[in-house]
Amino acid sequence: MASQGTPATALLAKQKIAHTLHPYDVSPDAPNYGALVADAIGADPARVFKTLVTEVDGGLTVAVVPVTGELDLKALASAAGGKRATMADRAVAERTTGYVRGGISPLGQRKRLPTVIDASALAGSTVYVSAGKRGLQVQLAPDDLVRLTSATVASIASS
């Protein structure tokens, strides 16, 4: 697949991971952003996942949950082996991952962070996550996403 020039797509190409890129045009400030992205790329919203940077007991952790749900911070803390989780400061998240809000990918981050992926990701043959910039999603097998991020898989989303 042709790279769109992000660390995430470069990682996928280097690892020879089968994937498909899906460009879209949705404002990151739009309400219901995830649902709009799913609609724009013609995907089932339950298969489109958002990447959230959190703090678990003071350390940064990435949570990957479907856009149809919300992150359950208590479940995330437990899955990550901690006691308390909060959302990370936006500037810290952007600086640490090397990506901007609306384009943070769980793949190819500047500093590799512990990652927890919601168990629902394994329910289908593919998932969609940010490809590392606003306006670009990547579709890949959930097993590849788990392997490339060395993720823990747990039920961390609530509807």
Side-chain angles (χ1 to χ4, degrees), residues 20-36:
T20 306
L21 297 175
H22 297 273
Y24 62 91
D25 185 18
V26 174
S27 168
D29 296 319
N32 236 354
Y33 178 71
L36 294 173

Side-chain angles (χ1 to χ4, degrees), residues 2 4 7-8 18 24 27 30 37 46 62 64 67 76 78 83 86 109 118 129 135-136 147 153 155-157:
Q4 294 277 327
Y24 62 91
S27 168
V37 169
V62 173
V64 182
V67 299
L76 172 66
S78 177
K83 292 184 178 9
T86 59
Q109 296 177 355
D118 187 67
V129 295
L136 189 65
R147 187 172 47 78
V153 177
S155 294
I156 58 167

Side-chain angles (χ1 to χ4, degrees), residues 1-11 13 19 21 136:
M1 307 284 148
S3 172
Q4 294 277 327
T6 72
T9 57
L11 174 66
H19 65 282
L21 297 175
L136 189 65

Side-chain angles (χ1 to χ4, degrees), residues 13-95:
K14 180 180 176 191
Q15 296 292 322
K16 297 181 173 48
I17 302 297
H19 65 282
T20 306
L21 297 175
H22 297 273
Y24 62 91
D25 185 18
V26 174
S27 168
D29 296 319
N32 236 354
Y33 178 71
L36 294 173
V37 169
D39 186 54
I41 63 174
D44 174 355
R47 305 306 311 147
V48 179
F49 285 69
K50 55 190 169 187
T51 305
L52 304 171
V53 180
T54 66
E55 281 188 36
V56 176
D57 294 347
L60 293 178
T61 299
V62 173
V64 182
V65 297
V67 299
T68 55
E70 296 296 320
L71 173 61
D72 179 333
L73 290 167
K74 285 185 180 183
L76 172 66
S78 177
K83 292 184 178 9
R84 183 169 183 271
T86 59
M87 294 304 297
D89 177 75
R90 176 181 173 176
V92 170
E94 291 179 345
R95 186 171 52 251

